[in-house]
Amino acid sequence: MPKTQSIYLVPDELRGDLTAEEFRHLKRRVVAANKAMGYWYQQIGRDYTSMTAGHVSVKVPGTNTFIVKGRPPDRDLMSEVTLQTLVQIDISTKEKVAGEMEVATPGEIELHTCVYEARPDVISVCHGHSNYAILCGLLGLNPKIFGSEDFGVYDRPHTITSPETGIPMAKALGQHSIVMLKGHGAVAVSALSTAGKLSREGPEDCIMRLIKFEELCQITWQVFTAVGKDYEKYAFSDEIIQEARRLAITSSTRDRFPTPGKDMTKDQCYYNAAMARTFREAIEG
Ligand SMILES: [Zn+2]
């Protein structure tokens, strides 16, 4: 007798290189990442409009498909995503290849397909609407000066619902991990390591990147409102940023005093809460 039902339920072509158990685990991670974004939305007060507007996807290794939050017919909230409300999408055709019949494909599906097509190294994509990213985009503020990572800018407020908007958005992302969508929000990605190593990245890193970007935009906005249009002069110089990067490489806190079994990203409280609920639902439901 098989140990799990999933051995029966998942056709080989949908799970690619993964075993049935690994495939189910990947789906749980997609659920947890979407839920974690939902909890974040609640924390930042965006749950009144944005709970249906964000989405996290993960590419299925060995296939040309990805798994993403779908749109169920009843309550469509990020904090309530379940294994049953995910859909699997073919990147080339944008067709739903797996998922419950009544669960629809997300409206901004080109946001995911266009990134996966432009960036074969990308393994996870997430998108959200958050206040400070929208404000900085609308006013043309430059959060780069208070951060250490560069990012792309898509200079249009449109939703990404066609290749006409998706292709230039993916082009604006370029090789970055973040693209700001002016007046709309942001998109973050996780990618395979450029050093040819197996990536430890996944949807968890993707949503944390989006959350950190929002924090950066919040700092930028607060400096701007405190000191006005000369805010850029309070940024660190290029020299200091280069020095900070060098020191981060040579003396990473994580590497100096590693904690066995701990991961700074995957142990974030939002994600842990979401993952615990996801597993409990998967077992009980
Ligand atoms: Zn959007």
Side-chain angles (χ1 to χ4, degrees):
M1 186 175 155
K3 288 179 183 167
T4 67
Q5 284 187 323
S6 57
I7 289 167
Y8 287 126
L9 296 176
V10 185
D12 291 355
E13 65 271 19
L14 294 183
R15 58 182 167 85
D17 298 340
L18 304 179
T19 65
E21 273 305 306
E22 288 169 340
F23 182 71
R24 195 166 175 80
H25 183 72
L26 185 69
K27 288 170 76 173
R28 287 190 187 113
R29 289 173 70 190
V30 179
V31 171
N34 278 284
K35 283 189 168 188
M37 260 194 75
Y39 300 155
W40 173 57
Y41 270 154
Q42 289 168 347
Q43 292 285 321
I44 63 172
R46 286 295 300 195
D47 45 326
Y48 51 93
T49 56
S50 290
M51 288 297 272
T52 63
H55 19 89
V56 185
S57 72
V58 172
K59 202 167 169 182
V60 181
T63 74
N64 196 39
T65 70
F66 62 92
I67 297 166
V68 65
K69 165 195 172 292
R71 287 170 45 234
D74 36 22
R75 287 165 65 86
D76 178 16
L77 304 176
M78 293 204 77
S79 56
E80 295 183 8
V81 171
T82 67
L83 290 168
Q84 287 72 36
T85 59
L86 298 179
V87 290
Q88 191 168 352
I89 305 289
D90 185 282
I91 293 170
S92 306
T93 64
K94 303 185 202 88
E95 293 293 325
K96 186 171 92 175
V97 293
E100 302 275 344
M101 192 182 289
E102 67 270 26
V103 177
T105 298
E108 287 189 293
I109 199 65
E110 281 81 1
L111 184 144
H112 298 264
T113 58
C114 291
V115 169
Y116 286 126
E117 278 180 336
R119 290 274 305 271
D121 60 321
V122 166
I123 53 174
S124 182
V125 176
C126 70
H127 167 53
H129 305 166
S130 50
N131 292 340
Y132 293 101
I134 292 172
L135 280 171
C136 285
L138 275 175
L139 274 82
L141 302 186
N142 181 15
K144 282 174 198 176
I145 56 169
F146 295 113
S148 57
E149 195 181 347
D150 204 359
F151 57 85
V153 178
Y154 176 57
D155 199 14
R156 294 284 188 280
H158 314 309
T159 51
I160 312 298
T161 52
S162 71
E164 189 182 348
T165 48
I167 290 170
M169 183 276 300
K171 202 171 174 184
L173 170 69
Q175 292 304 307
H176 301 302
S177 296
I178 289 264
V179 56
M180 175 194 267
L181 313 182
K182 276 201 162 188
H184 176 180
V187 175
V189 303
S190 285
L192 293 168
S193 164
T194 50
K197 296 175 191 166
L198 263 180
S199 174
R200 291 168 57 203
E201 292 235 332
E204 306 83 13
D205 310 85
C206 201
I207 59 168
M208 285 311 295
R209 196 160 281 135
L210 198 72
I211 291 169
K212 283 178 184 167
F213 183 69
E214 174 65 3
E215 287 175 347
L216 185 62
C217 290
Q218 183 173 4
I219 289 167
T220 307
W221 177 259
Q222 286 171 334
V223 176
F224 170 69
T225 53
V227 301
K229 58 183 170 39
D230 290 336
Y231 69 98
E232 292 200 28
K233 76 178 185 190
Y234 293 91
F236 290 121
S237 67
D238 285 346
E239 188 187 346
I240 295 285
I241 290 170
Q242 292 302 330
E243 194 177 22
R245 280 188 187 145
R246 179 180 61 77
L247 289 168
I249 291 167
T250 55
S251 62
S252 158
T253 309
R254 196 190 305 208
D255 295 337
R256 287 185 75 204
F257 303 113
T259 312
K262 291 281 278 183
D263 183 293
M264 287 172 78
T265 301
K266 294 182 180 63
D267 288 328
Q268 293 289 328
C269 60
Y270 290 139
Y271 184 75
N272 266 1
M275 201 66 178
R277 279 196 207 184
T278 304
F279 274 97
R280 197 166 60 235
E281 282 164 6
I283 292 164
E284 293 169 358

